[in-house]
Amino acid sequence: MKKSYFLKHSIVNAIIGSLSVFLLACGSSSGDTSSTSASSTVTQDTDTTVTTPISTDTGTSSSNSTDAILCDYHYNEFNSSESVSTSSNADWACTGTQRTLVANGIPDHMVGTFPNQNNPNEITEQSVSIAYTLTPAHTVTATTLGGPQGATGYVLNGVKIDANTAGSCDDSGNSCSLVGNTGSWHIEALGQTSFNFGTDQNNAHVQPNGAYHYHGMPEGFIALRGGSETTMTLIGWAADGFPIYARYGYTDANDSSSSLKTLQGSYELITNISSTRPSVDTYPLGTFAEDWVYVAGSGDLDECNGREGVTPEFPNGIYHYYATDSYPYFQRCVKGAL
């Protein structure tokens, strides 16, 4: 039986003064105008972001083999969602030293309505062909990915993970664009109500080239995988070759007999607000990526939303990532050698 999903609508802030704000849907410097946001002129994003390494440290701390784990994951079924109406296919294989994926980027679960008022792009087939190492090496270097630097990983259904956006505002907050990263303050897709990116119930939307992609928890896919609070659910592979799990992990990272809990990212909202930041009265904290700071130990995970520990597929332990309900939702960086 197929589950029904309902499109979540972001609450858009009231228009400030007489300034109108226009959002063009995700991914292009051109497109249909739609939606409004407080006191800014806005165009829509390409889901790209400023990409600089979080850390410049080097060195390898451990290596692992993921060979024989989900090496024969194949899917090819028709998706009857009104906004899809075509087949989803994804073929993973392990050959030699690499895990490969050939897919068409079409989701295998129900999706929201695309185009929509805030995202005028149609879902179309993509040509996905990637190869990740079967022997990922956990390093102390955190490398930011996303946008032009490439996806931080792929969900098993062949849909990419790209959590950042290209949206930004200038210091005044009166000039915001969802393309180009021209401003100093980078807009988040999730967890804020000032801008509507047209995301659906899977925390995903569509780029101008038709690429459906995830900014956060892929709820529809997790449901298809039987994800629940009683099991850890492997949902994909990161660009460095390490596995990605959804939401739940062991209370004791190194003890598979410990209970499962909802894992939290280790980011907190800033307490010292820059004098150059757009007004928090217009754009509450959490609107911009710069509003968040990594605080080691404040949550369960590191700066890339990962940790070392045991999993059902890796009982001897492995470094692995999580999609979380808290910021950063999906990893923005990887801690393995590339």
Side-chain angles (χ1 to χ4, degrees), residues 2-293:
K2 294 180 180 176
K3 296 186 177 181
S4 296
Y5 298 94
F6 298 91
L7 181 63
K8 295 180 180 177
H9 296 285
S10 300
I11 300 173
V12 184
N13 282 0
I15 298 176
I16 305 300
S18 61
L19 293 177
S20 296
V21 183
F22 301 95
L23 297 180
L24 296 181
C26 167
S28 173
S29 58
S30 62
D32 299 333
T33 59
S34 62
S35 190
T36 58
S37 163
S39 189
S40 305
T41 299
V42 183
T43 53
Q44 198 37 304
D45 83 294
T46 53
D47 294 325
T48 58
T49 187
V50 176
T51 53
T52 55
I54 289 177
S55 169
T56 57
D57 293 335
T58 58
T60 299
S61 61
S62 63
S63 62
N64 309 268
S65 175
T66 66
D67 200 2
I69 305 298
L70 290 177
C71 287
D72 58 352
Y73 186 95
H74 304 294
Y75 184 89
N76 189 354
E77 296 288 343
F78 184 78
N79 187 333
S80 61
S81 294
E82 184 177 349
S83 297
V84 180
S85 295
T86 191
S87 292
S88 165
N89 65 69
D91 292 296
W92 293 86
C94 299
T95 305
T97 61
Q98 294 184 322
R99 179 185 303 277
T100 60
L101 167 65
V102 176
N104 66 355
I106 297 296
D108 55 352
H109 50 71
M110 299 297 288
V111 304
T113 300
F114 296 102
N116 62 53
Q117 182 180 3
N118 301 293
N119 188 273
N121 306 312
E122 295 183 3
I123 298 172
T124 60
E125 293 189 35
Q126 305 297 302
S127 179
V128 178
S129 180
I130 55 97
Y132 296 155
T133 181
L134 286 171
T135 55
H138 183 202
T139 74
V140 294
T141 301
T143 303
T144 303
L145 295 177
Q149 300 298 328
T152 52
Y154 279 84
V155 170
L156 293 175
N157 60 8
V159 175
K160 71 177 176 178
I161 299 165
D162 200 355
N164 294 300
T165 81
S168 64
C169 293
D170 67 359
D171 290 351
S172 72
N174 293 324
S175 177
C176 296
S177 172
L178 302 189
V179 298
N181 279 314
T182 56
S184 302
W185 302 91
H186 300 90
I187 304 167
E188 284 294 312
L190 305 176
Q192 52 83 22
T193 58
S194 298
F195 301 92
N196 190 328
F197 285 83
T199 54
D200 68 4
Q201 68 272 18
N202 304 295
N203 298 299
H205 61 179
V206 189
Q207 291 173 333
N209 66 351
Y212 184 85
H213 60 286
Y214 299 115
H215 283 268
M217 197 78 68
E219 300 288 9
F221 181 75
I222 295 169
L224 290 178
R225 291 281 287 166
S228 73
E229 67 276 7
T230 63
T231 182
M232 285 186 65
T233 306
L234 197 162
I235 60 170
W237 299 95
D240 56 6
F242 284 115
I244 306 169
Y245 290 81
R247 193 175 274 121
Y248 301 109
Y250 295 118
T251 301
D252 182 338
N254 297 307
D255 182 2
S256 62
S257 67
S258 64
S259 61
L260 292 176
K261 70 172 185 175
T262 301
L263 298 187
Q264 301 293 322
S266 296
Y267 284 79
E268 297 183 349
L269 290 171
I270 58 173
T271 55
N272 295 320
I273 302 172
S274 172
S275 61
T276 63
R277 185 196 185 281
S279 171
V280 295
D281 293 330
T282 304
Y283 302 114
L285 284 178
T287 300
F288 305 114
E290 291 76 17
D291 293 341
W292 296 95
V293 60

